[in-house]
Amino acid sequence: PEATTTIDGKQLPPPNPPFGGVIKERASQSTPWWAPRIVPPKGAPNVLLIMTDDDGFGVPSTFGGVIPSPSLDRIAKAGLRYTNFHSTSLCSPTRAALITGRNHHVAGFGVVDEIGTGFPGYDSIILKANGTIGTILKENGYGTAWFGKDHNTPSYQATQAGPFDQWPVGMGFEYFYGFVGGDASQWQPNLYRNTTAIFPFLGDPGWNLTTAMADEAIHYMKQLKEIAPDKPFFVYYVPGGTHAPHHPTPEWVKKITDMHLFDDGWNKLRETIFANQKRLGIMPQNAKLTAWPDGQAEYGGAKLPKWDSLSWDEKKLFIKQADVYGAYEAYTDHEIGRVIQAVEELGQLDNTLIIYISGDNGASAEGMLNGTPNEFTTFNGVEVPVKDQFLWYPFWGSERTYPHFAAPWAWAFDTPFKWVKQVASHFGGTAQGMAISWPGHINDVGGVRRQFHHIIDIAPTILEAAGIPQPDTVDGIKQSPMDGVSMAYTWDKANANAPSHRTTQYFEMLGNRAIYHEGWVATTTPATLPWELSTKPAPDVITGYKWELYNVKDDPTESKDLAKAMPDKLREMQDLFYSEAKKNNVFPLDNSSLTRWNAPRPSLTAGRKTFTYSGELSGVPASGAPSILNRAYTITAEVQIPEGGAEGMIVTHGGRFGGYGLFLSKGEFGFDRGRVVFLYNLLDLKRTMWEGPEIEPGRHTIVFQWTPEGPGLGKGGTGVLTVDGKEVARNTMEHSTPITFPEDETFDVGLDTRTGVALLEYRYDPPFKFTGKIDRLTFELGPDQASEAKK
């Protein structure tokens, strides 16, 4: 019973071993036998793989930033700091590449899954031929768990109906605690334990996912080691920080605000960070700080305001935005530190490989030029003026906001490089600070490594450390070879300056592209701006881009373009890019974004016009819900009201930061309870209400009918509310939501999970269950009014 064995790992799961005992007619004459338990090779370490979100290269103090990151410092001081490590420039793609060891297009994530298209490199499906590091380690005897952000479950498969093979529990992770999608409120997240939605924040106003997630990971590791001390763990720890919404606790906001880190603005911040980077040896002394974008041709005409040109009000708001962001960064690093400390307290630190990647892409400019109190204003193409943002200033970062900072902060946080998140062509979008520690196995403690490496190199590094090969087959499926190479060679001090084992790497995202080869980089000049979210037409994806050329061995910040001086070298690099693109499913190239967001894709709702419900149903993501955007629709609720009246939510989609709700009012002090109300929340900027009478006991039919004024995105129109066939309210809206309701909110029938759509008038506290009975709830949807031309 105590027997163990290691496997060759070529076939996963391994075949069942033949029976090793003896069987006679009588048990007394027979010898029992148990198959030995599978364990990893001797010396295989625990693995703690940490990656934060949207952290630019110059954010943490470990890489020259001004925001304290003592936990990242701890790993760097105990191991190595990597200064030439790269992502894909966007969330889902980087994460797919990380857990598979394949290039992001090979892994099916050429873009984030929200804009996936029906091509092999872009469909957001990790094929069974691309078995994950979780699957490999699990089948070799590891305990595997995933905590935090899951941006690799396709949005169209993220419902309670599954399938679940593209959820963490279907990708080799035995335990999942986190949220599904690109971002989530840290105060009221769309949180799951495995595949079940949970709501630990209800009734606990001080609850925050950043802390809760650390608690959960610590509990998992402690439990595993107490039950199975010899079983190593693989913990994939990926917090929401510091992707928007920036949601630190008030204590951290005060700590960082009191440090006055950002009072001098983004231009001075860049100079400070760059000086720190040279002092720390992160950047060589001959490195040059790239220019601020001020309309230069080399930046495609991109221009961001200089700090000295701003008004007093603008500076005050933007400092607040950065203080809250800085607090979120420091808070996230602190909670990561608690997880690392727990590893030490379990007596496992010396036997744990810790990889801490600062960011899955460059800093985000998706807050547009002025930032926003609600990130979904950006995703719907709405700019919020500075003067209006002061309405949210006193509680910026609290549950009342879903905030993002102004785009120039992103450029500063990517110091010393050009560009930002989404831009795969330049290091501002792809350079990530990283530290690795493994006591006893890294003999240059505190050292710096400058070898060029990429996110696909992490999985092979873990496998080499564990002594586990990449399998030939998983579940009978022949495996594609990993594109990554192990970085373990860099752990030896003798190899501190060894040539990189990665000689070539392509980059592509949203049409921007680059190719690295043996110290040279060729890049396209971005033609659209991330902070404008492609509001101007994109050029031809092949012929409409200018190319640049850099010798990054001598010019690590990409400050001097050599394209005109070396046309032959540029042509050689361009040819190499297209060769790599052909091998890695990069074609067809596509530089559109909004049209891809709105593109039809497989879902449980595709092609349906009628939806029927009864009773209660909660937590349904948008992909499983009727979409009322950009179309006529009718909602019909057949309800029973008990004696004494009723209140509560009949149906809702969205919440505080955008959405709608049909409900019976809660009332106050016994007045106005049970009034029928339809409320439309336009991105927390304006709420429009249709108010009917109090509903008497008995059976009633409530109907809300919306007619848009015409075809197009976000059109206004007229809504009519009727009760039992009688019109009780008619109202118009100038605009409706054009693109999306908040991603982390859901469709609920008979209650309201997470946040409520009402703010002051008709305010209620979730779950606001309907106290009557819903016999039948029907949605009838008209055709999509946003034509391809309008899109």
Side-chain angles (χ1 to χ4, degrees):
E2 72 275 14
T4 61
T5 186
T6 57
I7 58 176
D8 66 15
K10 293 297 185 181
Q11 177 183 338
L12 298 180
N16 294 322
F19 181 69
V22 176
I23 298 177
K24 301 290 187 182
E25 290 182 347
R26 294 181 177 85
S28 60
Q29 298 172 329
S30 304
T31 304
W33 182 86
W34 299 91
R37 181 168 52 90
I38 295 172
V39 297
K42 187 176 181 180
N46 305 302
V47 180
L48 175 56
L49 174 57
I50 303 161
M51 185 169 67
T52 56
D53 200 341
D54 281 10
D55 273 343
F57 185 80
V59 167
S61 59
T62 317
F63 290 88
V66 299
I67 304 170
S69 53
S71 303
L72 183 54
D73 288 345
R74 176 180 181 174
I75 302 306
K77 290 173 183 175
L80 295 169
R81 206 176 319 212
Y82 290 79
T83 66
N84 200 2
F85 181 77
H86 296 268
S87 67
T88 70
S89 83
L90 214 47
C91 306
S92 294
T94 290
R95 292 159 192 270
L98 175 63
I99 63 174
T100 65
R102 279 84 170 183
N103 281 314
H104 59 297
H105 294 85
V106 175
F109 278 86
V111 287
V112 288
D113 80 88
E114 289 88 348
I115 57 174
T117 53
F119 298 101
Y122 300 89
D123 60 9
S124 64
I125 293 290
I126 295 177
L127 297 177
K128 297 186 187 305
N130 296 328
T132 73
I133 186 69
T135 295
I136 298 169
L137 295 183
K138 181 190 74 171
E139 296 294 350
N140 279 275
Y142 271 76
T144 58
W146 181 330
F147 298 92
K149 177 172 173 173
D150 166 22
H151 205 182
N152 292 121
T153 297
S155 56
Y156 52 86
Q157 292 187 6
T159 75
Q160 296 89 330
F164 298 110
D165 60 319
Q166 296 284 311
W167 285 62
V169 294
M171 293 192 285
F173 294 88
E174 298 165 307
Y175 185 70
F176 171 58
Y177 178 90
F179 61 93
V180 178
D183 58 21
S185 166
Q186 298 298 292
W187 301 108
Q188 299 104 356
N190 58 326
L191 187 63
Y192 292 85
R193 179 171 279 116
N194 298 322
T195 60
T196 301
I198 58 175
F199 308 91
F201 45 83
L202 288 176
D204 188 356
W207 188 96
N208 189 294
L209 178 57
T210 306
T211 294
M213 185 179 135
D215 292 342
E216 192 80 10
I218 291 167
H219 173 74
Y220 170 84
M221 295 187 297
K222 178 177 180 293
Q223 176 178 269
L224 181 70
K225 288 301 179 181
E226 288 178 350
I227 296 173
D230 296 329
K231 185 171 187 173
F233 58 74
F234 172 48
V235 169
Y236 179 41
Y237 192 86
V238 277
T242 55
H243 195 293
H246 304 150
H247 276 166
T249 61
E251 296 79 8
W252 281 98
V253 174
K254 184 177 188 314
K255 282 181 185 180
I256 296 300
T257 300
D258 288 348
M259 295 176 72
H260 299 282
L261 301 175
F262 308 107
D263 289 5
D264 292 333
W266 40 64
N267 296 106
K268 290 283 180 64
L269 179 64
R270 292 186 85 227
E271 296 171 5
T272 299
I273 293 173
F274 191 52
N276 290 343
Q277 289 169 338
K278 287 195 171 183
R279 175 177 54 80
L280 291 169
I282 302 302
M283 281 290 133
Q285 292 303 309
N286 68 333
K288 291 183 172 58
L289 180 60
T290 53
W292 184 257
D294 198 22
Q296 305 98 313
E298 65 183 289
Y299 293 150
K303 186 172 185 177
L304 291 172
K306 292 183 178 177
W307 188 256
D308 290 344
S309 70
L310 302 177
S311 68
W312 180 88
D313 282 356
E314 289 172 324
K315 289 179 179 178
K316 181 178 180 179
L317 175 67
F318 298 156
I319 291 169
K320 181 72 166 183
Q321 294 172 355
D323 282 341
V324 169
Y325 172 81
Y328 193 26
E329 166 73 13
Y331 174 38
T332 300
D333 180 81
H334 172 79
E335 295 300 320
I336 290 170
R338 289 181 54 227
V339 176
I340 295 169
Q341 183 61 29
V343 173
E344 181 176 20
E345 291 171 1
L346 288 169
Q348 296 293 318
L349 194 61
D350 287 347
N351 189 37
T352 301
L353 170 64
I354 300 179
I355 302 172
Y356 188 156
I357 305 168
S358 179
D360 55 355
N361 43 242
S364 170
E366 292 162 354
M368 306 180 88
L369 280 179
N370 292 328
T372 175
N374 175 9
E375 184 185 30
F376 289 95
T377 61
T378 297
F379 295 153
N380 284 284
V382 178
E383 292 187 52
V384 185
V386 166
K387 64 180 177 60
D388 293 339
Q389 293 192 47
F390 275 95
L391 292 170
W392 290 270
Y393 183 93
F395 35 84
W396 201 273
S398 76
E399 76 283 354
R400 304 185 201 180
T401 63
Y402 211 97
H404 198 304
F405 55 46
W409 286 123
W411 199 287
F413 285 133
D414 285 330
T415 299
F417 304 114
K418 307 171 186 175
W419 295 101
V420 293
K421 175 185 176 180
Q422 298 186 19
V423 181
S425 55
H426 290 73
F427 290 169
T430 68
Q432 314 299 149
M434 179 179 66
I436 300 179
S437 72
W438 188 14
H441 296 266
I442 294 175
N443 62 10
D444 187 20
V445 171
V448 172
R449 293 293 182 268
R450 303 188 191 281
Q451 287 92 347
F452 182 95
H453 278 286
H454 189 268
I455 199 78
I456 58 176
D457 298 332
I458 297 298
T461 303
I462 293 171
L463 292 181
E464 180 171 344
I468 293 172
Q470 186 193 352
D472 293 332
T473 63
V474 173
D475 294 328
I477 305 296
K478 177 70 175 174
Q479 295 293 286
S480 66
M482 287 187 177
D483 298 310
V485 299
S486 173
M487 302 170 63
Y489 74 95
T490 65
W491 297 345
D492 191 332
K493 189 171 185 177
N495 290 333
N497 298 309
S500 174
H501 287 192
R502 169 154 301 291
T503 58
T504 305
Q505 180 60 45
Y506 82 90
F507 298 85
E508 191 279 333
M509 191 69 62
L510 301 169
N512 290 312
R513 46 206 183 273
I515 184 75
Y516 168 88
H517 182 65
E518 296 181 345
W520 289 87
V521 175
T523 77
T524 58
T525 304
T528 54
L529 305 179
W531 51 89
E532 292 183 354
L533 293 184
S534 302
T535 53
K536 57 184 180 182
D540 182 89
V541 72
I542 300 295
T543 62
Y545 286 78
K546 174 178 169 286
W547 282 76
E548 306 162 18
L549 178 69
Y550 299 98
N551 177 356
V552 291
K553 193 177 293 184
D554 299 331
D555 176 21
T557 65
E558 299 176 310
S559 65
K560 186 177 181 182
D561 180 9
L562 301 173
K564 289 183 178 178
M566 304 181 70
D568 292 342
K569 183 66 178 179
L570 176 61
R571 194 173 304 109
E572 172 194 326
M573 296 289 285
Q574 289 171 316
D575 290 343
L576 182 57
F577 170 83
Y578 287 108
S579 172
E580 291 293 302
K582 187 175 182 179
K583 289 191 297 187
N584 286 281
N585 290 343
V586 179
F587 295 125
L589 289 172
D590 188 347
N591 58 3
S592 66
S593 55
L594 179 57
T595 52
R596 282 198 275 182
W597 186 297
N598 285 333
R601 53 186 61 87
S603 78
L604 299 176
T605 64
R608 290 175 61 190
K609 301 300 181 186
T610 301
F611 297 77
T612 305
Y613 310 93
S614 63
E616 284 189 3
L617 177 67
S618 66
V620 180
S623 62
S627 174
I628 67 169
L629 301 181
N630 306 310
R631 67 181 73 233
Y633 58 89
T634 301
I635 304 172
T636 303
E638 300 169 38
V639 301
Q640 294 183 43
I641 306 301
E643 290 297 327
E647 65 183 32
M649 185 60 66
I650 297 173
V651 63
T652 182
H653 189 176
R656 182 181 189 116
F657 303 103
Y660 66 87
L662 174 64
F663 56 90
L664 299 190
S665 64
K666 184 179 183 64
E668 291 188 22
F669 309 111
F671 297 100
D672 281 343
R673 180 173 181 264
R675 294 188 66 177
V676 59
V677 177
F678 185 85
L679 187 153
Y680 193 98
N681 174 5
L682 183 65
L683 302 170
D684 200 28
L685 300 173
K686 184 178 182 180
R687 285 167 172 80
T688 304
M689 286 167 281
W690 288 256
E691 303 162 88
E694 295 181 30
I695 303 293
E696 298 295 325
R699 294 179 181 271
H700 299 277
T701 300
I702 303 167
V703 178
F704 181 79
Q705 186 173 35
W706 170 258
T707 305
E709 65 184 18
L713 288 168
K715 293 293 185 178
T718 301
V720 177
L721 180 66
T722 64
V723 177
D724 298 330
K726 179 182 177 182
E727 181 177 317
V728 296
R730 178 182 291 263
N731 204 349
T732 60
M733 291 193 304
E734 185 180 359
H735 301 288
S736 60
T737 306
I739 309 299
T740 181
F741 290 144
E743 183 180 8
D744 66 340
E745 292 279 1
T746 54
F747 176 79
D748 302 312
V749 177
L751 73 168
D752 189 359
T753 58
R754 299 186 185 87
T755 65
V757 291
L759 181 59
L760 297 175
E761 195 168 2
Y762 297 114
R763 185 187 176 277
Y764 57 87
D765 294 319
F768 197 38
K769 289 193 174 188
F770 184 59
T771 56
K773 181 182 178 183
I774 301 173
D775 291 330
R776 186 180 180 89
L777 174 71
T778 305
F779 280 69
E780 294 286 350
L781 304 181
D784 184 358
Q785 294 289 304
S787 67
E788 288 302 312
K790 287 288 184 182
K791 287 179 184 180

PDB file of all heavy atoms in Angstrom, residues 389-404:
ATOM      1  N   GLN A 389     -15.692  63.555 -13.515  1.00  0.00           N
ATOM      2  CA  GLN A 389     -15.069  62.485 -12.732  1.00  0.00           C
ATOM      3  C   GLN A 389     -14.926  62.858 -11.258  1.00  0.00           C
ATOM      4  O   GLN A 389     -14.814  61.971 -10.401  1.00  0.00           O
ATOM      5  CB  GLN A 389     -13.706  62.126 -13.321  1.00  0.00           C
ATOM      6  CG  GLN A 389     -13.793  61.477 -14.693  1.00  0.00           C
ATOM      7  CD  GLN A 389     -12.476  60.884 -15.130  1.00  0.00           C
ATOM      8  OE1 GLN A 389     -11.811  60.187 -14.365  1.00  0.00           O
ATOM      9  NE2 GLN A 389     -12.084  61.163 -16.378  1.00  0.00           N
ATOM     10  N   PHE A 390     -14.956  64.152 -10.959  1.00  0.00           N
ATOM     11  CA  PHE A 390     -14.830  64.567  -9.557  1.00  0.00           C
ATOM     12  C   PHE A 390     -16.038  64.132  -8.721  1.00  0.00           C
ATOM     13  O   PHE A 390     -15.972  64.132  -7.491  1.00  0.00           O
ATOM     14  CB  PHE A 390     -14.603  66.074  -9.456  1.00  0.00           C
ATOM     15  CG  PHE A 390     -13.157  66.455  -9.591  1.00  0.00           C
ATOM     16  CD1 PHE A 390     -12.637  66.836 -10.810  1.00  0.00           C
ATOM     17  CD2 PHE A 390     -12.308  66.395  -8.493  1.00  0.00           C
ATOM     18  CE1 PHE A 390     -11.293  67.168 -10.952  1.00  0.00           C
ATOM     19  CE2 PHE A 390     -10.958  66.714  -8.614  1.00  0.00           C
ATOM     20  CZ  PHE A 390     -10.450  67.104  -9.838  1.00  0.00           C
ATOM     21  N   LEU A 391     -17.131  63.741  -9.372  1.00  0.00           N
ATOM     22  CA  LEU A 391     -18.261  63.183  -8.626  1.00  0.00           C
ATOM     23  C   LEU A 391     -17.858  61.908  -7.896  1.00  0.00           C
ATOM     24  O   LEU A 391     -18.424  61.564  -6.850  1.00  0.00           O
ATOM     25  CB  LEU A 391     -19.422  62.885  -9.580  1.00  0.00           C
ATOM     26  CG  LEU A 391     -20.116  64.093 -10.217  1.00  0.00           C
ATOM     27  CD1 LEU A 391     -21.063  63.627 -11.318  1.00  0.00           C
ATOM     28  CD2 LEU A 391     -20.868  64.888  -9.162  1.00  0.00           C
ATOM     29  N   TRP A 392     -16.871  61.200  -8.436  1.00  0.00           N
ATOM     30  CA  TRP A 392     -16.409  59.940  -7.842  1.00  0.00           C
ATOM     31  C   TRP A 392     -15.098  60.114  -7.082  1.00  0.00           C
ATOM     32  O   TRP A 392     -14.613  59.158  -6.477  1.00  0.00           O
ATOM     33  CB  TRP A 392     -16.226  58.891  -8.940  1.00  0.00           C
ATOM     34  CG  TRP A 392     -17.504  58.394  -9.554  1.00  0.00           C
ATOM     35  CD1 TRP A 392     -18.258  57.327  -9.152  1.00  0.00           C
ATOM     36  CD2 TRP A 392     -18.172  58.936 -10.701  1.00  0.00           C
ATOM     37  NE1 TRP A 392     -19.357  57.173  -9.961  1.00  0.00           N
ATOM     38  CE2 TRP A 392     -19.329  58.150 -10.934  1.00  0.00           C
ATOM     39  CE3 TRP A 392     -17.934  60.005 -11.561  1.00  0.00           C
ATOM     40  CZ2 TRP A 392     -20.227  58.385 -11.969  1.00  0.00           C
ATOM     41  CZ3 TRP A 392     -18.820  60.248 -12.597  1.00  0.00           C
ATOM     42  CH2 TRP A 392     -19.951  59.452 -12.791  1.00  0.00           C
ATOM     43  N   TYR A 393     -14.529  61.292  -7.093  1.00  0.00           N
ATOM     44  CA  TYR A 393     -13.196  61.519  -6.519  1.00  0.00           C
ATOM     45  C   TYR A 393     -13.094  61.064  -5.066  1.00  0.00           C
ATOM     46  O   TYR A 393     -12.121  60.393  -4.695  1.00  0.00           O
ATOM     47  CB  TYR A 393     -12.840  63.010  -6.646  1.00  0.00           C
ATOM     48  CG  TYR A 393     -11.456  63.368  -6.151  1.00  0.00           C
ATOM     49  CD1 TYR A 393     -10.374  63.391  -7.022  1.00  0.00           C
ATOM     50  CD2 TYR A 393     -11.231  63.691  -4.811  1.00  0.00           C
ATOM     51  CE1 TYR A 393      -9.107  63.714  -6.582  1.00  0.00           C
ATOM     52  CE2 TYR A 393      -9.965  64.015  -4.356  1.00  0.00           C
ATOM     53  CZ  TYR A 393      -8.902  64.029  -5.242  1.00  0.00           C
ATOM     54  OH  TYR A 393      -7.648  64.348  -4.794  1.00  0.00           O
ATOM     55  N   PRO A 394     -14.064  61.386  -4.179  1.00  0.00           N
ATOM     56  CA  PRO A 394     -13.899  61.054  -2.752  1.00  0.00           C
ATOM     57  C   PRO A 394     -13.820  59.556  -2.484  1.00  0.00           C
ATOM     58  O   PRO A 394     -13.256  59.143  -1.470  1.00  0.00           O
ATOM     59  CB  PRO A 394     -15.142  61.660  -2.091  1.00  0.00           C
ATOM     60  CG  PRO A 394     -15.645  62.676  -3.055  1.00  0.00           C
ATOM     61  CD  PRO A 394     -15.306  62.134  -4.410  1.00  0.00           C
ATOM     62  N   PHE A 395     -14.402  58.734  -3.355  1.00  0.00           N
ATOM     63  CA  PHE A 395     -14.388  57.296  -3.093  1.00  0.00           C
ATOM     64  C   PHE A 395     -13.785  56.511  -4.253  1.00  0.00           C
ATOM     65  O   PHE A 395     -14.162  55.380  -4.532  1.00  0.00           O
ATOM     66  CB  PHE A 395     -15.813  56.783  -2.776  1.00  0.00           C
ATOM     67  CG  PHE A 395     -16.908  57.472  -3.528  1.00  0.00           C
ATOM     68  CD1 PHE A 395     -17.259  57.070  -4.816  1.00  0.00           C
ATOM     69  CD2 PHE A 395     -17.594  58.527  -2.956  1.00  0.00           C
ATOM     70  CE1 PHE A 395     -18.281  57.700  -5.501  1.00  0.00           C
ATOM     71  CE2 PHE A 395     -18.620  59.171  -3.650  1.00  0.00           C
ATOM     72  CZ  PHE A 395     -18.962  58.760  -4.911  1.00  0.00           C
ATOM     73  N   TRP A 396     -12.809  57.131  -4.928  1.00  0.00           N
ATOM     74  CA  TRP A 396     -12.095  56.473  -6.025  1.00  0.00           C
ATOM     75  C   TRP A 396     -11.422  55.196  -5.506  1.00  0.00           C
ATOM     76  O   TRP A 396     -10.681  55.218  -4.532  1.00  0.00           O
ATOM     77  CB  TRP A 396     -11.040  57.417  -6.590  1.00  0.00           C
ATOM     78  CG  TRP A 396     -10.597  57.069  -7.985  1.00  0.00           C
ATOM     79  CD1 TRP A 396      -9.621  56.209  -8.337  1.00  0.00           C
ATOM     80  CD2 TRP A 396     -11.125  57.610  -9.207  1.00  0.00           C
ATOM     81  NE1 TRP A 396      -9.490  56.153  -9.711  1.00  0.00           N
ATOM     82  CE2 TRP A 396     -10.402  57.014 -10.266  1.00  0.00           C
ATOM     83  CE3 TRP A 396     -12.112  58.536  -9.516  1.00  0.00           C
ATOM     84  CZ2 TRP A 396     -10.640  57.308 -11.606  1.00  0.00           C
ATOM     85  CZ3 TRP A 396     -12.353  58.829 -10.842  1.00  0.00           C
ATOM     86  CH2 TRP A 396     -11.633  58.223 -11.871  1.00  0.00           C
ATOM     87  N   GLY A 397     -11.692  54.078  -6.139  1.00  0.00           N
ATOM     88  CA  GLY A 397     -11.136  52.796  -5.724  1.00  0.00           C
ATOM     89  C   GLY A 397     -12.048  51.979  -4.843  1.00  0.00           C
ATOM     90  O   GLY A 397     -11.794  50.792  -4.619  1.00  0.00           O
ATOM     91  N   SER A 398     -13.112  52.589  -4.334  1.00  0.00           N
ATOM     92  CA  SER A 398     -14.063  51.854  -3.506  1.00  0.00           C
ATOM     93  C   SER A 398     -15.011  51.051  -4.386  1.00  0.00           C
ATOM     94  O   SER A 398     -14.939  51.096  -5.617  1.00  0.00           O
ATOM     95  CB  SER A 398     -14.874  52.823  -2.639  1.00  0.00           C
ATOM     96  OG  SER A 398     -15.864  53.483  -3.418  1.00  0.00           O
ATOM     97  N   GLU A 399     -15.962  50.338  -3.730  1.00  0.00           N
ATOM     98  CA  GLU A 399     -16.926  49.552  -4.492  1.00  0.00           C
ATOM     99  C   GLU A 399     -17.851  50.422  -5.323  1.00  0.00           C
ATOM    100  O   GLU A 399     -18.553  49.928  -6.208  1.00  0.00           O
ATOM    101  CB  GLU A 399     -17.749  48.662  -3.548  1.00  0.00           C
ATOM    102  CG  GLU A 399     -18.833  49.370  -2.762  1.00  0.00           C
ATOM    103  CD  GLU A 399     -18.302  50.164  -1.574  1.00  0.00           C
ATOM    104  OE1 GLU A 399     -17.080  50.085  -1.282  1.00  0.00           O
ATOM    105  OE2 GLU A 399     -19.104  50.859  -0.931  1.00  0.00           O
ATOM    106  N   ARG A 400     -17.835  51.726  -5.103  1.00  0.00           N
ATOM    107  CA  ARG A 400     -18.671  52.638  -5.886  1.00  0.00           C
ATOM    108  C   ARG A 400     -18.047  53.003  -7.229  1.00  0.00           C
ATOM    109  O   ARG A 400     -18.654  53.715  -8.026  1.00  0.00           O
ATOM    110  CB  ARG A 400     -18.922  53.929  -5.093  1.00  0.00           C
ATOM    111  CG  ARG A 400     -19.540  53.720  -3.730  1.00  0.00           C
ATOM    112  CD  ARG A 400     -19.838  55.064  -3.099  1.00  0.00           C
ATOM    113  NE  ARG A 400     -19.976  54.987  -1.650  1.00  0.00           N
ATOM    114  CZ  ARG A 400     -20.238  56.009  -0.861  1.00  0.00           C
ATOM    115  NH1 ARG A 400     -20.365  57.224  -1.389  1.00  0.00           N
ATOM    116  NH2 ARG A 400     -20.339  55.857   0.434  1.00  0.00           N
ATOM    117  N   THR A 401     -16.832  52.558  -7.463  1.00  0.00           N
ATOM    118  CA  THR A 401     -16.135  52.876  -8.712  1.00  0.00           C
ATOM    119  C   THR A 401     -15.575  51.603  -9.343  1.00  0.00           C
ATOM    120  O   THR A 401     -15.394  50.581  -8.673  1.00  0.00           O
ATOM    121  CB  THR A 401     -14.968  53.860  -8.485  1.00  0.00           C
ATOM    122  OG1 THR A 401     -13.993  53.231  -7.620  1.00  0.00           O
ATOM    123  CG2 THR A 401     -15.448  55.142  -7.852  1.00  0.00           C
ATOM    124  N   TYR A 402     -15.287  51.699 -10.630  1.00  0.00           N
ATOM    125  CA  TYR A 402     -14.654  50.628 -11.401  1.00  0.00           C
ATOM    126  C   TYR A 402     -13.530  51.303 -12.196  1.00  0.00           C
ATOM    127  O   TYR A 402     -13.537  51.339 -13.415  1.00  0.00           O
ATOM    128  CB  TYR A 402     -15.697  50.015 -12.337  1.00  0.00           C
ATOM    129  CG  TYR A 402     -15.516  48.547 -12.641  1.00  0.00           C
ATOM    130  CD1 TYR A 402     -16.225  47.580 -11.934  1.00  0.00           C
ATOM    131  CD2 TYR A 402     -14.658  48.128 -13.648  1.00  0.00           C
ATOM    132  CE1 TYR A 402     -16.095  46.235 -12.223  1.00  0.00           C
ATOM    133  CE2 TYR A 402     -14.511  46.784 -13.947  1.00  0.00           C
ATOM    134  CZ  TYR A 402     -15.236  45.840 -13.234  1.00  0.00           C
ATOM    135  OH  TYR A 402     -15.097  44.505 -13.527  1.00  0.00           O
ATOM    136  N   PRO A 403     -12.532  51.858 -11.477  1.00  0.00           N
ATOM    137  CA  PRO A 403     -11.710  52.908 -12.080  1.00  0.00           C
ATOM    138  C   PRO A 403     -10.498  52.434 -12.878  1.00  0.00           C
ATOM    139  O   PRO A 403      -9.981  51.335 -12.696  1.00  0.00           O
ATOM    140  CB  PRO A 403     -11.253  53.696 -10.848  1.00  0.00           C
ATOM    141  CG  PRO A 403     -11.153  52.669  -9.771  1.00  0.00           C
ATOM    142  CD  PRO A 403     -12.264  51.684 -10.045  1.00  0.00           C
ATOM    143  N   HIS A 404     -10.071  53.346 -13.744  1.00  0.00           N
ATOM    144  CA  HIS A 404      -8.871  53.168 -14.554  1.00  0.00           C
ATOM    145  C   HIS A 404      -8.198  54.535 -14.669  1.00  0.00           C
ATOM    146  O   HIS A 404      -8.863  55.558 -14.763  1.00  0.00           O
ATOM    147  CB  HIS A 404      -9.247  52.648 -15.938  1.00  0.00           C
ATOM    148  CG  HIS A 404      -8.102  52.035 -16.687  1.00  0.00           C
ATOM    149  ND1 HIS A 404      -6.920  52.696 -16.937  1.00  0.00           N
ATOM    150  CD2 HIS A 404      -7.953  50.808 -17.245  1.00  0.00           C
ATOM    151  CE1 HIS A 404      -6.106  51.918 -17.620  1.00  0.00           C
ATOM    152  NE2 HIS A 404      -6.711  50.755 -17.822  1.00  0.00           N
TER     153      HIS A 404
END
